[in-house]
Amino acid sequence: MGVRKLSISVPSEVEETIKAAAAEEGKPVSTWLTEAAVEKARAATLYAAGRAAAQELVAEYESEHGKLPEEFRQRARAFLAEAGLFDDEPWQAAG
């Protein structure tokens, strides 16, 4: 696996958090950021797979029983948001 240099911009308070976390784990910042990026990519893949599976289940239900009532959709969204699995306002990357 080759190594490439990457330049990123982060707010100063995020820089402090990254450096502290890397130091706490006894890792260079670049290693810590690489591991964090891989973890985030894996989580995004799992999230997408879960979302696709949920959409498939809803489509299957609706094909057999008709449209899922809006009240049920709202309750499901509220449950997922409370569980930390649904976010109406995704995190925005720095500049």
Side-chain angles (χ1 to χ4, degrees):
M1 171 172 62
V3 176
R4 305 279 305 249
K5 188 170 184 138
L6 180 66
S7 175
I8 64 169
S9 298
V10 297
S12 59
E13 61 272 9
V14 174
E15 176 188 14
E16 293 169 16
T17 300
I18 291 168
K19 287 180 176 179
E24 178 71 25
E25 294 182 23
K27 297 178 181 178
V29 169
S30 60
T31 300
W32 190 90
L33 284 171
T34 299
E35 290 173 357
V38 168
E39 184 178 317
K40 176 72 175 180
R42 286 184 183 145
T45 299
L46 288 173
Y47 176 84
R51 188 174 179 94
Q55 289 172 335
E56 186 178 324
L57 285 172
V58 170
E60 183 180 321
Y61 174 90
E62 289 182 338
S63 72
E64 294 178 23
H65 305 286
K67 186 160 176 64
L68 194 63
E70 185 59 31
E71 174 190 348
F72 292 174
R73 290 175 184 270
Q74 290 175 358
R75 287 175 50 197
R77 280 189 188 98
F79 172 81
L80 292 172
E82 188 174 309
L85 300 172
F86 182 78
D87 187 4
D88 282 330
E89 298 179 27
W91 186 77
Q92 301 277 328

